[in-house]
């Protein structure tokens, strides 16, 4: 195939992006309510329009080709623009109430700007925010207490209803007081989330891998508790890279701390298509969070 012969259809680009995210034709077929051959046919149609193969030949082991890597960011941008245009056209007609769940760790740096922009665009929608850890949010959504939730993707943790969409990977980093010495202590004091949270699990596993002794100096479900201990130079904490806290600095190999794995931010929707207000907020969050650096 040489050169681009036809325009790139939005529906085909949507299937392409889903396939990249899900890494499974079966899962994409289930999400789109299509057969697996139909999904494969859409990818072939997109490749014909693009003029180049977008995946390596074996779809059972999905790997983007060079041209697929080139197309992916443009495809995501086109999908966001298409969704934004359609939603903006209907903004005046959108009204209702939406309950949004979000861990305190994310609420502090994701929600203020995101919700302010949403309120300006959709003044007829009333949003209530409920803060809790991801495990509790999954239970709350299953019990009908939430319409939408931003959460950390965790093994075995998801609502019993609705769907989930990957928002973005979120790198984790070590943080300590500027000019502090808590990271030099042996064992190193840690301010951590409760047991069973990925932030905590990844941090402790990383320290164990390098043989660094540690002790839990503080357990807190809130970002304020973790930050206060770190700011007092009483402990080192782990937060998302996106968090900006005055007085804390990033710690790494130079301070004897190992690299950390990333976590995935996921958006849960209890009834996609069931509420115009909830659908518009979910779409707004997908755009805002995915675009945010």
């Amino acid at each position: 195939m040489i050169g681009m012969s036809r325009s790139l259809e939005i529906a085909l680009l949507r299937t392409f992006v889903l396939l990249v995210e899900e890494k499974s034709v079966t899962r994409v077929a289930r999400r789109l309510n299509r057969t697996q051959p139909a999904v494969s046919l859409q990818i072939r149609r997109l490749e014909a329009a693009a003029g180049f193969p977008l995946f390596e030949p074996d779809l059972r082991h999905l790997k983007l080709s060079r041209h697929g890597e080139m197309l992916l960011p443009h495809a995501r941008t086109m999908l966001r623009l298409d969704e934004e245009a359609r939603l903006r056209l209907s903004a005046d007609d959108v009204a209702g109430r939406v309950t949004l769940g979000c861990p305190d760790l994310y609420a502090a740096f994701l929600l203020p700007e995101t919700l302010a922009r949403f309120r300006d665009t959709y003044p007829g929608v009333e949003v209530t925010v409920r803060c809790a850890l991801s495990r509790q949010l999954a239970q709350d959504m299953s019990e009908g207490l939430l319409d939408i939730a931003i959460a950390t993707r965790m093994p075995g943790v998801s609502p019993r209803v609705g769907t989930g969409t990957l928002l973005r990977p979120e790198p984790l980093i070590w943080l300590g007081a500027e000019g502090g010495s808590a990271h030099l202590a042996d064992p190193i004091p840690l301010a951590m989330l409760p047991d069973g949270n990925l932030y905590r699990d990844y941090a402790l596993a990383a320290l164990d891998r390098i043989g660094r002794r540690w002790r839990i100096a503080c357990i807190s479900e809130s970002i304020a508790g973790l930050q206060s201990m770190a700011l007092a130079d009483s402990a080192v904490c782990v937060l998302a890279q996106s968090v900006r806290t005055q007085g804390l600095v990033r710690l790494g190999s130079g301070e004897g701390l190992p690299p950390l794995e990333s976590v995935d931010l996921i958006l849960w929707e209890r009834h996609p298509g069931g509420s115009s207000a909830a659908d518009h907020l979910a779409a707004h969050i997908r755009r805002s969070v995915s675009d945010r650096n």
Side-chain angles (χ1 to χ4, degrees):
M1 294 184 289
I2 301 176
M4 186 177 294
S5 58
R6 297 195 299 274
S7 62
L8 305 178
E9 299 177 30
I10 290 294
L12 303 184
L13 291 173
R14 184 170 292 107
T15 300
F16 169 64
V17 171
L18 282 175
L19 199 52
V20 172
E21 293 176 351
E22 294 288 354
K23 297 180 174 59
S24 165
V25 175
T26 301
R27 287 196 291 271
V28 171
R30 190 179 301 121
R31 285 185 60 175
L32 295 176
N33 196 27
R34 291 176 176 269
T35 64
Q36 293 183 44
V39 170
S40 299
L41 177 60
Q42 283 197 315
I43 294 301
R44 289 197 295 272
R45 285 177 55 201
L46 182 60
E47 290 179 328
F52 298 96
L54 302 176
F55 291 94
E56 298 299 332
D58 187 2
L59 277 181
R60 291 172 300 178
H61 303 90
L62 289 171
K63 182 180 179 182
L64 285 172
S65 68
R66 180 170 65 90
H67 291 97
E69 294 280 4
M70 292 170 56
L71 176 61
L72 182 59
H74 298 289
R76 284 178 167 147
T77 298
M78 292 169 70
L79 290 176
R80 286 196 296 270
L81 290 174
D82 172 73
E83 184 174 49
E84 182 174 357
R86 289 186 290 104
L87 293 177
R88 285 296 178 92
L89 288 171
S90 61
D92 292 342
D93 300 326
V94 179
R97 296 180 178 179
V98 183
T99 303
L100 167 66
C102 187
D104 177 73
L105 290 166
Y106 300 146
F109 69 96
L110 284 181
L111 293 189
E113 181 181 348
T114 298
L115 290 183
R117 290 170 58 191
F118 181 79
R119 185 173 58 250
D120 289 343
T121 306
Y122 304 99
V125 178
E126 178 184 315
V127 180
T128 300
V129 177
R130 185 185 184 100
C131 288
L133 294 177
S134 296
R135 194 179 300 274
Q136 182 62 50
L137 293 177
Q139 181 177 333
D140 289 348
M141 181 164 284
S142 298
E143 295 174 357
L145 301 177
L146 299 174
D147 300 302
I148 302 171
I150 301 171
T152 302
R153 177 180 281 176
M154 299 171 63
V157 177
S158 63
R160 296 189 300 273
V161 296
T163 63
T165 304
L166 175 67
L167 292 174
R168 71 173 189 208
E170 184 66 53
L172 300 182
I173 59 172
W174 300 97
L175 291 169
E178 188 173 2
S181 59
H183 63 279
L184 300 175
D186 182 26
I188 185 171
L190 303 174
M192 292 278 111
L193 291 165
D195 190 23
N197 186 279
L198 284 187
Y199 281 51
R200 175 187 176 121
D201 294 347
Y202 287 170
L204 300 186
L207 291 173
D208 288 343
R209 278 196 297 271
I210 65 170
R212 183 80 189 266
R213 297 200 310 156
W214 52 267
R215 68 179 180 87
I216 303 296
C218 169
I219 297 175
S220 173
E221 292 189 1
S222 76
I223 189 172
L226 303 179
Q227 288 175 329
S228 62
M229 286 292 288
L231 285 167
D233 198 26
S234 297
V236 169
C237 67
V238 171
L239 295 176
Q241 182 175 281
S242 301
V243 176
R244 299 288 183 267
T245 303
Q246 190 173 5
L248 295 184
V249 295
R250 183 171 181 172
L251 306 173
S253 58
E255 292 74 32
L257 290 169
L260 295 167
E261 296 183 55
S262 295
V263 297
D264 286 337
L265 295 190
I266 190 168
L267 180 70
W268 291 328
E269 299 175 70
R270 185 160 57 96
H271 290 305
S275 162
S276 178
D279 288 347
H280 280 71
L281 178 56
H284 179 81
I285 290 172
R286 282 194 292 269
R287 289 196 310 277
S288 299
V289 175
S290 297
D291 290 344
R292 192 184 179 106
N293 293 323

